[in-house]
Amino acid sequence: MTRLSLQLPAVPGAADPDPLAWLLAAMRTGRPPFRHCALDAGFAGTGAIRLGAGDAWLEIVPAAERSASSAATVPIVPGLALTPPDPESLIDCLTARAEAIDHVGISLSQRDLDGAAWEDFIARLAAFLPAWRLEIGSANDIVMIVCEGAEGERAAAIELVHDRTAPFSSVHLCLAMGCDRAELEARLPPPLGGAKPGDEPFFRSVALPPSLAVPAYLDLAFSDGEMTPWPAIVRAMGKRIGRAAPR
């Protein structure tokens, strides 16, 4: 399967250790439980987000500049900003409790990318990767690339969003955790952890220490959250881009 390449705009002064760098390195090496079969992700010093596969490429320079020491909190969504936990403690928590990558999300604000460029990129990308557009009545355009693993393995996804409401682009990784909601809320009380509106039954969001030119965070999925597998979601609520969805 063709892999999606993602280069993220690093800024100087990142935390050491940097939880995001640690996660991406684990994904690149395929180390369990952080395998992600269709994504190659790393850092770039260009100040741009670069995303693509085959001859379909997109490069955007985020309008909202930030540095690693620019703020004590990280904006997750409008109205929710969180304080990054201690980097070593966060890595220890992920080492002990993370079980799998659920999805990697790249949200591109309309401030950084116009609609025509987005549509052209998605149309070209769908020639290289199986892409599904979710039809859920959202104001945003949500495109999913589902990565089905070996039998018995959890399917993962890459979520590409053209965000028509957020004032900034962002990156997040969702990890399936081997602990329930009560434990995660106890480990990560406010302002270290919080829930995006509508995600309260499924995820606890945690800010990553600033190391990118855009906000970055984790969604930690509860073991008692009862998430629907991605293949079932796209078949029920998605439309295959470039071809008819299988029946």
Side-chain angles (χ1 to χ4, degrees):
M1 180 180 183
T2 301
R3 297 170 71 87
L4 184 73
S5 176
L6 171 65
Q7 296 175 4
L8 297 170
V11 295
D16 186 19
D18 177 4
L20 179 58
W22 179 82
L23 273 168
L24 296 183
M27 290 166 58
R28 283 194 301 272
T29 60
R31 185 170 75 223
F34 302 112
R35 286 189 297 269
H36 200 281
C37 60
L39 180 68
D40 292 319
F43 296 102
T46 63
I49 298 173
R50 195 162 189 265
L51 182 67
D55 62 5
W57 286 89
L58 182 68
E59 183 171 287
I60 70 163
V61 177
E65 295 183 357
R66 59 185 290 115
S67 68
S69 58
S70 63
T73 60
V74 175
I76 307 302
V77 293
L80 177 64
L82 299 173
T83 301
D86 173 74
E88 289 190 6
S89 297
L90 180 56
I91 290 174
D92 287 345
C93 175
L94 299 180
T95 300
R97 291 302 203 179
E99 294 190 336
I101 295 283
D102 180 80
H103 69 272
V104 175
I106 303 100
S107 178
L108 303 175
S109 169
Q110 64 177 352
R111 290 181 59 193
D112 298 331
L113 178 68
D114 67 40
W118 164 261
E119 291 291 350
D120 177 68
F121 170 67
I122 292 299
R124 290 183 292 115
L125 186 68
F128 297 95
L129 289 164
W132 302 74
R133 176 169 275 116
L134 292 191
E135 299 178 330
I136 56 175
S138 173
N140 303 322
D141 192 22
I142 304 172
V143 174
M144 307 298 304
I145 298 164
V146 178
C147 317
E148 299 194 42
E151 185 175 354
E153 286 188 335
R154 183 189 188 98
I158 302 165
E159 178 187 41
L160 306 176
V161 179
H162 190 223
D163 199 318
R164 301 183 176 113
T165 57
F168 51 82
S169 297
S170 64
V171 174
H172 71 273
L173 289 81
C174 179
L175 306 179
M177 303 294 285
C179 47
D180 62 16
R181 178 175 181 173
E183 180 177 336
L184 279 178
E185 289 179 346
R187 279 178 177 262
L188 297 160
L192 301 179
K196 293 175 287 185
D199 283 353
E200 294 90 346
F202 307 105
F203 311 124
R204 189 148 189 86
S205 295
V206 182
L208 288 166
S211 59
L212 299 181
V214 294
Y217 63 94
L218 302 178
D219 278 340
L220 304 182
F222 316 130
S223 59
D224 53 349
E226 299 184 359
M227 291 176 59
T228 303
W230 283 111
I233 289 175
V234 297
R235 286 174 174 81
M237 296 185 288
K239 181 177 181 180
R240 181 73 179 267
I241 299 172
R243 66 179 72 178
R247 297 183 179 276

